[in-house]
Every structure is written in C-alpha cells, then in structure tokens.
Amino acid sequence: MATAVAHPNIALVKYWGKQPGPGNVPATPSLSITVAALTTTTQVEAAAKNSIRIDGVPRADPKVQALVDAMRGAFELPPMAVTTDNDFPTGAGLASSASGFAALVTAIDAKFDLHLSPSARSAWARRGSASAARSIFGGFATLAERDGEWTAAELLDRDAWPLEVAVAVTDESAKPVPSSAGMERSRTTSPFYEAWCRSTEIDYATACRAVTTRDFDAIARIAEHSCLKLHALMLSSRPALVYWNPATVAVMDAVRELQVAGTPVFFTIDAGPQVKAVCAPGHGERVANVLGNVPGVVRTVTSGLGAGASVV
Ligand code: DP6
C-alpha cells in the first residue's frame, strides 16, 4: 500500500473555463497558494477489483474513475482500491478536489513505481481536476502551458514569503453546482466569458510579478479583482451561479474594515460561500479572531502555506 498526502490550494488568479476538447485543459493560466492546515490523505493498493472510498463511504466517483482509467491506459496498472480522507468538508468550496487528485496521482506513482517527475504528476492531476495540478507543489504555484503541456510549477518557495490564511467557513454543505458544470455554463452562456479569458492572461502576469517581488499591496489588488471578476462572470451565467450567502458578504465587509484600519489582508472566494482572508506574515490569528465574530461564520481555520504533495 502507498499513502500520499496533499493540501488544497487557494487561487489568487482564478481558473474558470476549459479549452474545448479532451484532457481538461484550462482556458487561462492561474496562480495559487497551497494551504498547510487542510489535508487529504489517500491510500492506493492493488486489489481484485476497482473501488473508491471517500471519507469512509464507498463512492462511484466518475472523475476519479476516469483519471484512474486514463492512467491505466498509459501505464498498464492493475485494478486498485483507493481510500481517501479529508480532514475538512468535501466539495464545499475548500478545494477538496485539488488536494484529492494531487494525493491520488502521487499515491499511484509511488505504489506502482512509475517514477513520474513532479511536472508529470501535475499534468496527470490536472486531468482529474485542473486546480489539482497546483497542489503537487507547495508555496506559490502557477498552472500554465509549458512546452506544449499544461502543468504547474512552483513560483516561490513558501519560506520565501510565509503568508498566512484565515478561512471563514460560513456553510459546510456541498456546493449546489460543481465547478466543472459551473464553468461550462459560464463558457456557453455568459456574455463576459471572452473578456474574462483575455483579461485573466494579464492578471496572471501582474500577479506573478507581485509574488516574485513580494509586493503585498499588488497581490492584494489583483487577487481581489480576479475573485470579484470571477463572481461577476458566475452571476452573468444563465442560470446565474450564486455561490455567496449573506455571511460571505459580511466577511468581505469585515476584511474591508480591517484594511481601512491598516491590516495587511485581502479576501478571495471560490465556488462556495467560504471567504479566504490572505494575510501578511504574523496577521493570520488576529484576522481569524475578527472574522470568527462575524454573524454567520461557523468556524475559522488559520493556516500557513503548505508543502507540495508527498508520500508518507
Ligand atoms: C473557483 O479545478 O475544481 O476553485 O478542473 O473542472 O475539476 P475542474 O475544476 P476545479 O475548479 C476550480 C475553480 C476555482 C478556481 C481555482 O481554483 O483556480
């Protein structure tokens, strides 16, 4: 049996929309931070037949099965039993698919001695869920086209700029429209989709510069813009994709108040109602305390930046 762990990541420049055709190829590049405090643990062992258990429950997860089948086609793998557990809510906008596929590919690689490079593991993880390509790496990771292949890479080591994250959880139930379906809806129905793709290329370049120069104000500005533009795209889809609840907006207001008072913090929100407040080093605990008192916040999680997926 091989066991791998991986952490979710939070996109600062968001991915939303795929290129037409197979392979789950994003339409735009993205940039994320890997989050240490949330962990997926995945075990893979050879078995008489394929099986998948997620958080203790046997599941016929078509995305997991499709990735395992694709890898089996490339590497002649035997049937396998996959067991995966998250220490946080699954499918609720906390990027469980990112850590899940990163841990799965890393465990398969280890169990069957495939000797894949991190970049090759990242490209396989991307086929399962594109954001998972980034969770192969720690710290700041970018997902972009490199030598004809969409794969992630580390842009900056986590110790080089140890940002902190306070996640304000406002609802632990699974999201109403999964990301894959939501982004396809945006691609096919939003009048803003082309502008989203074009402008995200520019946001990505701006954000990469902000990270490599460790410019907190610059990354704050571009990350909040990418987040709000994503949600504008979602709201302009038909039917509209509304992932926020009243507490989501209240937490955004609280982050704005912290900013006005001089705290180095910015918010970002994915396909769910949780708000992730990204803070300069040393500010995470205090920000989490403030956000924990906002009505509607169920709990907060504070984290530093995490390492990439690894075998344990
Ligand atoms: C809003 O990576 O879950 O979190 O490739 O279809 O599995 P699939 O989508 P997924 O989408 C993530 C969307 C996002 C933004 C991001 O992480 O970049």
Side-chain angles (χ1 to χ4, degrees), residues 83-247:
T83 309
T84 186
D85 291 290
N86 296 319
D87 66 1
F88 59 97
T90 300
L94 289 172
S96 53
S97 68
S99 48
F101 282 104
L104 175 65
V105 170
T106 302
I108 291 175
D109 177 43
K111 169 67 197 161
F112 301 109
D113 295 321
L114 304 183
H115 304 294
L116 297 176
S117 67
S119 170
R121 275 189 288 131
S122 176
W124 277 109
R126 187 211 74 228
R127 286 165 164 250
S129 185
S131 54
R134 300 185 307 240
S135 277
I136 295 293
F137 297 94
F140 298 78
T142 56
L143 172 58
E145 188 173 7
R146 302 184 155 88
D147 300 326
E149 175 71 293
W150 278 76
T151 179
E154 186 183 285
L155 179 65
L156 188 70
D157 184 84
R158 59 187 173 138
D159 295 329
W161 199 19
L163 299 185
E164 297 172 9
V165 184
V167 181
V169 178
T170 65
D171 185 350
E172 306 207 297
S173 49
K175 56 193 160 197
V177 182
S179 299
S180 303
M183 61 181 77
E184 182 58 9
R185 188 186 295 179
S186 297
R187 186 181 74 81
T188 53
T189 66
S190 170
F192 302 156
Y193 183 73
E194 274 171 30
W196 159 259
C197 291
R198 247 193 341 270
S199 61
T200 295
E201 298 276 349
I202 301 164
D203 297 346
Y204 173 75
T206 306
C208 288
R209 249 190 330 271
V211 168
T212 50
T213 57
R214 288 167 241 182
D215 182 338
F216 191 84
D217 289 345
I219 194 65
R221 274 195 303 273
I222 199 67
E224 287 193 357
H225 174 66
S226 179
C227 162
L228 292 174
K229 191 162 52 180
L230 168 66
H231 287 273
L233 176 71
M234 291 163 162
L235 290 170
S236 66
S237 306
R238 293 180 163 197
L241 297 159
V242 185
Y243 287 110
W244 298 356
N245 62 28

Side-chain angles (χ1 to χ4, degrees), residues 40-43 51-65 81-91 96-97 100-101 104:
T40 297
T41 304
T42 298
Q43 295 179 326
S51 66
I52 303 162
R53 284 179 89 84
I54 301 177
D55 293 331
V57 181
R59 291 263 287 271
D61 188 310
K63 285 176 94 170
V64 174
Q65 200 51 59
V82 175
T83 309
T84 186
D85 291 290
N86 296 319
D87 66 1
F88 59 97
T90 300
S96 53
S97 68
F101 282 104
L104 175 65

